[in-house]
Every structure is written in structure tokens, then in C-alpha cells.
Amino acid sequence: MLHRNIYRQVLMLLCAILFTISLVQAQGKLPNVMVLATGGTIAGTGATSTTTVGYTAATVAVDRLITAVPELKKVANVKGEQVFQIASENINNDSWLKLAKRVNTLLAQKDVDGIVVTHGTDTIEETAYFLNLVVKSRKPVVIVGAMRPSTALSADGPINLYNAVLLAGSREARGKGVLVALNDQINAAREVTKTNTSTLDTFKTPELGLLGYMQDNRPIFYRQSTRKHTADSEFDVMQLDVLPQVDIVYGYANVNRIAVDAFMAAGAKGIIYAGTGDGSLADPVKSALVEARKQGVIIVRSSRVGQGIVARNGEANDDELDFVVSDTLNPQKARILLMLALTKTINTKDIQRIFYAY
Ligand code: DGL
């Protein structure tokens, strides 16, 4: 009898050891994904479960975001860091430099396979594009947000976070540039934009199209961005503490020169003009921009339209005015590229090359 008990205990101990080994081996096979939290609606809370507007963004800490999705443990070894906790309309150049430096430092570590950044949706497209230009690695970086606060009925944050971690830990996402993943869709940082103030399907790449889908616990890609990004980028912010001031002037019927003059007086090094149509320059604003150019300010003609190419020497003689055109970048992304270009050059021919390369 005693022998049988000892035998049974030894057997149970062996089973426990084997189970632990298999668990550790399984964990060893899972990718190591860091979740860097910055705030936004994905970390938001509302007064009731049906509050989907008028909630407070940036209140839930990263560890709670992760523990709210226990399924993450099955797909990755996840660790979280709270880089900052803000509504993303308040993100600024300092935030971007802090985030980019942290991303690059972590990606240089052998024990980090990919990174997820949780972020407010208002400026996801800008942070994503900034990181697309300054991350010095081919490892996946996925930006994710939510359109409903964490307290809402059918909150989209948990499934978006789950898919983002899956994507960041996947081989398929390597070398694709920074990706924006919400609503089961994968978009490229360069082209994605927020197209609706409040619906779940707000992130789209209207004409050039999404890259793929998250479906059945895996990414399925159909295309990839053709422009330079991440490890192939010439930009490096690791030693930078400040970025040049670049502002945006919005074009509209009856536009005047006041905004241009104000930005010049404030010391802007570059001005993006979000022109009507194909970046058209109304006379009052054109003369102000010409004066700004003469004083050394770099002028980029973009468009408020949102889609299509702003053609060089189309609506204005850019060669004669010594202006740059934004190609297909919307004004807020053209601002980011010009800021980074100005850390390298003030030569307008070189800056135009940069706008055709990224
Ligand atoms: N305040 C907005 C932001 O943080 C909320 C929108 C959102 O995160 O979905 O971007």
C-alpha cells in the first residue's frame, strides 16, 4: 500500500514537471511583444456602458488594458509600459521623440520581437507616419486604438489590442513598415487616415487601399507600401531633442495672408499649404508664401482634398517659386516629413527628392 502511494506521488510529480517544461517550451516559442501605452479612447472610461461620446480618454493604465484580454497570453509573451497617458489631440513633437527613442531602444533588444503602441485615434495616422520614418528596425511596430471607451457595450479596444499583438508578433508583418490595425483591417502608416469622427470603420486608405486583414487569429496581407520606411529611412532622431517648427495653413474660398504672416513671425522653418484642389494658391496667400520663401522658409504645396497627387508645376510654377509639392501626402503627414527633412537639409531639390521617396 505504502509503495503504491509513493509510486502515485512520484508519477504526479513527474507529470507536473513535464507540464511545466511543456509550458515553458510553449512560452519560449511565443513571440515577445511590448505594449507601449500612450492614452486615448482605448484607455478611456465612460459614465455608463452606453456612453460612446462624452467619455474620458486616457484613464486606464497599460497593465489593466493587458489583463482585460487574457487571450493575449496564448499568442505572445506580453509586457506593458506606460510611455505617457494623454488624449492624442495633445500629442506633440516632444511626445514623438520620447516614444520613438523608446521604440528604437526596445527593438534593439534581442528579447523583443515586436511592439504595439496603444494610442488615441485622433492623431494615430500622424504618430504612425512619424514612427514609419524614424524606427530603425524591420521588426513589426503596430499602432492601435479604439473608437469606443473600455467601459462601453461591445468596446472595440480588447479585440483591436488582441489583433495588434498577434500582428506585432507575426513573421508576416516584418519589414512592412509601421502598421495601423483596427477593425480587423491592416493599413500602412503612410496612407491611412481617419475618415469618420466616430464609427468603428473610420481608418481607411481610400484610394490606394488597405494592406490586408486580421482574420482567424492571423494577418493576411495582399499588398505593401512602395515608399521607403523604417530601416531604409535616412532619418535618425535618437540624438535629437527638438524638431524644426513646421505649420499648416488651410486653403479656402476668400483665404487671406494672415496665417502665413503669423507663422513666419512665430519663426516657422516650413509651411505646408493645404490648398484647394490640386494645391491651388489663391493670390493673397501666394504673395505671402513667396515672401516667406524669400526669407528662407520652405514651402510645401499640399491639398485639403485628401486623395491624389499634388503635381509639381501644375497649379503653380514650383520651379520658379522654389516650392516643394507633397505628392500624395495629406497636409498633416507632409508636415511630419518636412520636419524630418529639415533635420537633414534646406535644399529644396533634396527636399523634393525626399517627398518622392517616402
Ligand atoms: N481624444 C481622442 C484621442 O485621444 C479620442 C479619440 C480616440 O482615442 O478614439 O485621440
Side-chain angles (χ1 to χ4, degrees):
M1 190 62 175
L2 178 61
H3 287 296
R4 193 177 297 168
N5 279 346
I6 292 170
Y7 174 73
R8 188 180 297 124
Q9 280 169 12
V10 166
L11 196 61
M12 283 171 67
L13 184 61
L14 273 176
C15 289
I17 290 167
L18 286 173
F19 174 72
T20 306
I21 290 169
S22 61
L23 198 65
V24 168
Q25 281 173 340
Q27 294 264 333
K29 289 197 186 92
L30 292 178
N32 298 325
V33 174
M34 284 298 297
V35 175
L36 301 185
T38 72
T41 294
I42 193 168
T45 48
T48 73
S49 62
T50 54
T51 305
T52 53
V53 292
Y55 54 81
T56 308
T59 58
V60 178
V62 62
D63 292 340
R64 275 196 51 212
L65 293 179
I66 293 169
T67 51
V69 188
E71 293 82 355
L72 289 174
K73 290 193 186 71
K74 297 176 193 158
V75 297
N77 301 317
V78 176
K79 284 184 188 165
E81 269 187 27
Q82 195 78 45
V83 182
F84 34 83
Q85 181 76 290
I86 59 173
S88 77
E89 61 269 27
N90 292 321
I91 212 148
N92 58 31
N93 291 352
D94 293 343
S95 326
W96 280 343
L97 287 171
K98 180 180 181 183
L99 179 62
K101 289 172 182 175
R102 190 61 188 140
V103 167
N104 277 320
T105 302
L106 286 167
L107 289 179
Q109 295 174 198
K110 284 191 171 43
D111 61 347
V112 174
D113 299 310
I115 286 183
V116 168
V117 176
T118 61
H119 194 287
T121 61
D122 285 12
T123 57
I124 268 191
E125 66 194 77
E126 295 177 61
T127 299
Y129 189 51
F130 179 75
L131 292 177
N132 200 50
L133 295 168
V134 302
V135 164
K136 312 307 279 182
S137 171
R138 295 189 192 288
K139 293 179 181 177
V141 175
V142 180
I143 321 290
V144 65
M147 294 304 289
R148 292 177 184 153
S150 64
T151 47
L153 273 179
S154 306
D156 54 328
I159 187 65
N160 285 350
L161 178 59
Y162 176 75
N163 279 333
V165 168
L166 266 175
L167 184 60
S170 74
R171 278 178 297 99
E172 296 89 335
R174 289 179 66 87
K176 293 268 193 331
V178 172
L179 303 171
V180 174
L182 285 86
N183 198 41
D184 301 338
Q185 297 186 354
I186 306 168
N187 280 284
R190 182 184 186 278
E191 286 92 16
V192 71
T193 190
K194 189 171 184 178
T195 63
N196 185 290
T197 57
S198 54
T199 55
L200 299 185
D201 66 346
T202 182
F203 283 98
K204 295 193 191 318
T205 302
E207 290 186 352
L208 297 175
L210 54 73
L211 302 185
Y213 301 100
M214 291 305 295
Q215 193 176 89
D216 192 21
N217 297 297
R218 64 192 177 95
I220 307 165
F221 280 96
Y222 295 89
R223 48 186 292 282
Q224 57 190 69
S225 189
T226 58
R227 291 296 174 91
K228 287 169 76 173
H229 55 69
T230 58
D232 297 326
S233 168
E234 64 199 89
F235 305 115
D236 186 339
V237 296
M238 294 306 278
Q239 306 310 319
L240 289 185
D241 295 320
V242 66
L243 291 168
Q245 180 183 336
V246 174
D247 292 295
I248 301 173
V249 174
Y250 197 83
Y252 49 89
N254 203 38
V255 67
N256 54 53
R257 58 176 296 152
I258 296 168
V260 175
D261 292 340
F263 285 137
M264 272 178 51
K269 299 289 184 261
I271 293 176
I272 309 294
Y273 184 59
T276 53
D278 190 7
S280 310
L281 298 167
D283 292 343
V285 80
K286 180 177 178 180
S287 52
L289 291 172
V290 168
E291 284 170 37
R293 181 69 201 109
K294 285 183 180 140
Q295 293 187 35
V297 177
I298 302 297
I299 308 299
V300 176
R301 279 196 310 118
S302 183
S303 169
R304 72 180 198 180
V305 164
Q307 304 307 313
I309 297 170
V310 175
R312 187 170 178 83
N313 297 324
E315 281 294 335
N317 188 332
D318 298 296
D319 290 349
E320 188 182 282
L321 298 172
D322 197 22
F323 287 2
V324 174
V325 289
S326 69
D327 188 43
T328 59
L329 285 179
N330 65 26
Q332 54 269 33
K333 291 186 182 178
R335 171 184 171 267
I336 292 166
L337 186 54
L338 180 55
M339 272 197 308
L340 290 170
L342 287 173
T343 66
K344 307 281 288 183
T345 177
I346 57 171
N347 176 293
T348 48
K349 284 184 177 44
D350 202 16
I351 295 173
Q352 187 65 78
R353 169 194 63 80
I354 287 170
F355 270 82
Y356 286 145
Y358 292 90

